[in-house]
Amino acid sequence: PPPPPPPPPPIFFSHHKPPSPLLSGLVGSEMCIRDSNNEDEVNYDAHWIPAVNISEDDSSYYIDLEVPGVEKEDIQINYENGVITVNGERKRFREHQKDKIHKAEFVVGKFSRTFKVPRDVESNAINALFENGILEVSVPKAESSKPKKVKIPLISSRAMADKNISYWLMKS
């Protein structure tokens, strides 16, 4: 007889989640935002953990959280000592006092995510946009960390040779 099928993969509820190699380490570059939510820093008051995308462009870092069903008034964003914390709560869509419930899969309750940000950010200019269940936190980079273009003049080898000869003649 064939061997029995392997057991199904574990289901992750509440504060438990599968480890993400992208989010547990550096993302994009050495100076990127780090997701601080890992198995050693579990917030046991949280009932669920929103999915997150972290990206950057030349001017800012972006933290996008997927928070469908959460009202804007139920989200708090704080920045302190290089850490952005996003807390919130998804409340029940409808109270089921009189209803006969056949199935209830919606996750409700509190959530919390923390992100370590690089030192070279404009912390006073951090802002957030909430639209269609997506919370986008924009973290502007400091001018000193933005890439700079430097134009390098191109000199012909003949001009360089003439310049070197003139230099050596002046030195002697």
Side-chain angles (χ1 to χ4, degrees), residues 158 160-170:
R158 178 70 181 155
M160 187 63 110
D162 292 344
K163 188 175 182 180
N164 285 340
I165 291 171
S166 299
Y167 174 77
W168 288 111
L169 290 175
M170 289 173 47

Side-chain angles (χ1 to χ4, degrees), residues 33-52:
I33 292 174
R34 296 185 69 172
D35 181 6
S36 296
N37 292 88
N38 64 41
E39 299 306 319
D40 297 329
E41 300 175 14
V42 172
N43 179 349
Y44 289 100
D45 292 331
H47 298 130
W48 62 286
I49 299 173
V52 65

